Structures are given as C-alpha cells and as structure tokens.
Amino acid sequence: GAPAMAMHRALLQLRSAGRGLCSRLPLRFPERRLRAAFWGWAAAAAARPRASRERQVPGSNVCSYAQGAPGYADASRRYTSSKTTVDPDEMKTFQALSQKWWDSDGEFAALHALNDLRVPFIRDTLLTYSEKMHLGHPLQGFRILDVGCGGGLLSEPLGRLGAVVVGIDPLEDNIRTAKLHQLFDPVLKGQVEYTACSLEEMAMEATNTFDAVVASEVVEHVNNLEIFITCAAQVLKPEGSLFITTINKTILSYAMAIVAAEYVLRIVPSGTHEWEKFISPEELEKYLASSGFTVEAVNGMLFNPIFGTWSWINDCSVNYALHAVKSKVAEQSDFVSESSNGKDNGSDQSESSSCSKDKL
C-alpha cells in the first residue's frame, strides 16, 4: 500500500544520505529527523505497551555461587555501580525473553541466521592466526569465552568445531536455558560450559586464560564499554583474538535497526536497542587501542528480512563485525586491580564467584 511505498522510498533516501556517516552526528539528530519522517506509520507501534520491558520475572541470584537467593530486583541492584558492564534495564528486557532463545522463528531468528556468518568468521580467523589444525574439529585446542552467551546460540556450534567454550551471561535464566539445550547433544559434553556471571567477575578470576573472546551483539547493550574492553583484554592470552559484532551509530542504523527492525518489520522486540549505545568502528577502535588491541579487520553485514539471511558487504553503516588482536605485552588493568583490592577489603566482595578457575 501507500505507507509501505513511502517507507521504502524514505529508507532508500536514508541509505543514500547516511552511507559513511559515523559518530560525528549530533546525539539527537536521528530522533529529530527520523521521527518526523516516520511518525505516520511508526508512532502507533511505538506507543504500544512494552510488555517485555515491564514484566518482572523473579529469578535467583545472578552469580550462581553467591550466598543466598534474592529475587530479580536484588540481582539488578548488584549491578548499579558505574564499575560494572551490566545494565539492569537490559537485564530486565532479556529476562522476559530467556525461554525463547531456541525458537528459530521467534524473536531471536536473526541471531540464529547470523551463525552462518559469525561462526565461519571466527573459525577461519583463528586458524589464520594459528598453526593448530585438526581435521573434523578445526578449533580443537582453542579456549573461547562467549560473553553474553544468552541461550548458547553461538557457544554450541563453536563447541562442535572442537573448541572448549565457556559461555557467560549475567542472567541465570539464560544460563539455565543454555544448559538445558546442551543436554540434547552429547557431543557438547566437556566442550561447552555455562556460568552465570559478568565479564568483570570473570576478569578477576581468569587472567590470560582464553585464546579468543567473542562478544556478538553484546556491546550495544553494556553499561560501561571502556570497562568491558578492559576486562576482555584481561581474560585474553597475549596475542589472543577479540571478535565483536555490533551496530554502527549512524542515521541509517537508527532507521534500519530500530525503526524498521523493531517497529515495522518486528524482527526483534520493540525497545531492544537504544541508538545512544550504538558505536562506530572508529570509536570502538579507540577503546580497543587504549586496552592494547590492534584492529585487524572490520566487515559490514547486511540482513535480508525477506529471506532471513545475512551476507557480507563493504558498507559498515548498520551492522559490522570486527576482529582485534591483543598485544604480546599485557598490562594489569586498573579495573581488575581496584576490584582485587575491594575483594580483600570490602564486605560486598566477600561472595565467592561462579567464575573461579576450577570451572575453567
């Protein structure tokens, strides 16, 4: 109909205008321009009640080895400091979706399809930077940390390729779903392990432990990106690889990843993303460089909502994948040093972490 044609023309114009634009755009520019352009067909959808963000599901503590078993609200209060990567509002959103990870036609359908790109990207890159080679199990001998693993959508295929994978997520309900699904494939026993904790908790217990860290569709949801990158460097071995897939901060990404994907096409639940948390490859590279990483590759990705498939493209205006390598000389991070001191001196840090080295 006419609204669909108008949307199509507007998105084509935005693609032309937005190509190559990055974080130099004013913060409120997308809201001011795009909401005016799309108000007719997006306002009704945006005004609908966000049940997924309002429904609070009681759950056990975020860290599975911590003392006691407070409800969801108490678990959220655990992550209210600026010294954490976990955003309580994001936890609330994904809490409501924790049982839906393995519905390949549901809210996470795009993530299921993304495995066709990200699994070969991780596999081929690791093999390029390593002399390890095992036919049938090409990633045998690699230890990979999957940060924000959710229900294990990426952890499982990496485990089947022979890697020892540790999947972490601050939500216990996500970890419970991942562990349950793992039971259906005996091959994964001993290959994939899940733990309910944050990246900073892991960093305090697992320094220089992993050959690779994967943060796929995660950094646009974290509370403090600088700490996140610092902790990723801390858990990686020297010359280890960091893989990130995320969303650029452009006009086009607002139109495609939020307006179109959440309110028009309903590819993901409304309210899943916040444009202010998107980050350009250039800005992300600055964070990485400050933690001793060198960016080796940045590739654009495009999702086709008609066929439900992803493909590589040269344009990074919306989705992109990044590979960075940690330098040979690793430095002790300020965050981990402060956290270690807090553990010795503060009663709040007296809880035993689920991310202990015996679990790894």
Side-chain angles (χ1 to χ4, degrees):
M5 291 298 297
M7 178 191 72
H8 179 69
R9 286 195 298 271
L11 291 178
L12 288 177
Q13 292 171 0
L14 284 167
R15 174 174 286 278
S16 175
R19 190 179 302 274
L21 295 179
C22 296
S23 58
R24 293 188 299 273
L25 295 171
L27 183 62
R28 305 307 295 177
F29 184 79
E31 278 87 353
R32 186 171 63 252
R33 292 287 181 86
L34 290 175
R35 288 189 182 181
F38 292 101
W39 183 256
W41 48 270
R48 291 178 183 173
R50 298 182 180 180
S52 63
R53 294 187 69 91
E54 296 301 327
R55 183 163 63 96
Q56 293 189 7
V57 181
S60 53
N61 200 352
V62 176
C63 195
S64 58
Y65 280 69
Q67 299 294 325
Y72 171 77
D74 293 328
S76 296
R77 282 195 292 270
R78 179 189 178 115
Y79 297 111
T80 55
S81 167
S82 61
K83 288 291 186 179
T84 180
T85 63
V86 179
D87 187 330
D89 290 336
E90 297 282 357
M91 289 178 65
K92 188 176 178 180
T93 299
F94 286 97
Q95 178 89 25
L97 300 171
S98 61
Q99 307 301 318
K100 302 181 180 181
W101 284 101
W102 289 98
D103 180 2
S104 58
D105 297 318
E107 287 86 343
F108 296 113
L111 286 183
H112 282 265
L114 186 56
N115 276 356
D116 291 340
L117 286 192
R118 56 185 179 177
V119 173
F121 177 57
I122 295 168
R123 178 199 62 201
D124 296 345
T125 303
L126 288 178
L127 293 179
T128 300
Y129 284 80
S130 173
E131 297 178 354
K132 301 175 182 178
M133 177 62 71
H134 300 273
L135 295 178
H137 297 88
L139 295 185
Q140 185 175 333
F142 287 95
R143 299 180 64 81
I144 300 177
L145 178 66
D146 184 8
V147 183
C149 65
L153 270 60
L154 182 56
S155 297
E156 287 197 8
L158 293 176
R160 292 189 187 98
L161 289 174
V164 173
V165 182
V166 176
I168 63 172
D169 197 286
L171 278 175
E172 271 210 6
D173 281 357
N174 285 347
I175 295 299
R176 192 174 295 112
T177 298
K179 287 181 176 179
L180 181 62
H181 193 271
Q182 180 186 11
L183 297 177
F184 291 100
D185 188 351
V187 172
L188 298 175
K189 186 176 182 181
Q191 294 297 127
V192 180
E193 182 177 336
Y194 297 108
T195 302
C197 71
S198 64
L199 178 56
E200 58 268 28
E201 289 174 312
M202 178 65 76
M204 289 189 287
E205 302 290 346
T207 302
N208 299 331
T209 299
F210 296 95
D211 300 293
V213 170
V214 179
S216 186
E217 307 306 299
V218 170
V219 300
E220 67 270 23
H221 300 289
V222 303
N223 189 47
N224 189 315
L225 185 56
E226 184 176 6
I227 291 178
F228 186 91
I229 298 298
T230 300
C231 292
Q234 189 71 19
V235 300
L236 270 175
K237 296 176 181 178
E239 298 188 284
S241 288
L242 174 63
F243 297 93
I244 293 174
T245 67
T246 189
I247 307 174
N248 202 344
K249 195 173 186 179
T250 63
I251 300 175
L252 189 59
S253 71
Y254 185 89
M256 303 296 287
I258 295 181
V259 178
E262 295 186 15
Y263 297 107
V264 180
L265 301 177
R266 300 286 181 177
I267 297 171
V268 295
S270 59
T272 298
H273 297 110
E274 297 177 27
W275 186 83
E276 289 81 2
K277 285 188 174 182
F278 292 175
I279 185 168
S280 69
E282 296 82 4
E283 187 176 355
L284 182 55
E285 185 170 359
K286 292 178 183 177
Y287 280 111
L288 291 166
S290 66
S291 292
F293 284 100
T294 301
V295 174
E296 299 290 341
V298 181
N299 301 315
M301 304 185 298
L302 177 67
F303 181 68
N304 185 325
I306 298 176
F307 297 103
T309 58
W310 290 85
S311 57
W312 295 113
I313 58 173
N314 294 325
D315 188 351
C316 296
S317 297
V318 184
N319 297 88
Y320 64 94
L322 179 147
H323 170 235
V325 175
K326 178 183 173 180
S327 62
K328 290 183 180 180
V329 180
E331 297 181 359
Q332 176 81 357
S333 72
D334 294 337
F335 171 78
V336 174
S337 299
E338 292 173 9
S339 300
S340 299
N341 293 336
K343 180 181 285 189
D344 294 335
N345 302 324
S347 59
D348 290 343
Q349 296 291 340
S350 62
E351 297 175 335
S352 58
S353 173
S354 63
C355 304
S356 62
K357 284 189 177 178
D358 335 324
K359 297 285 291 177
L360 306 177

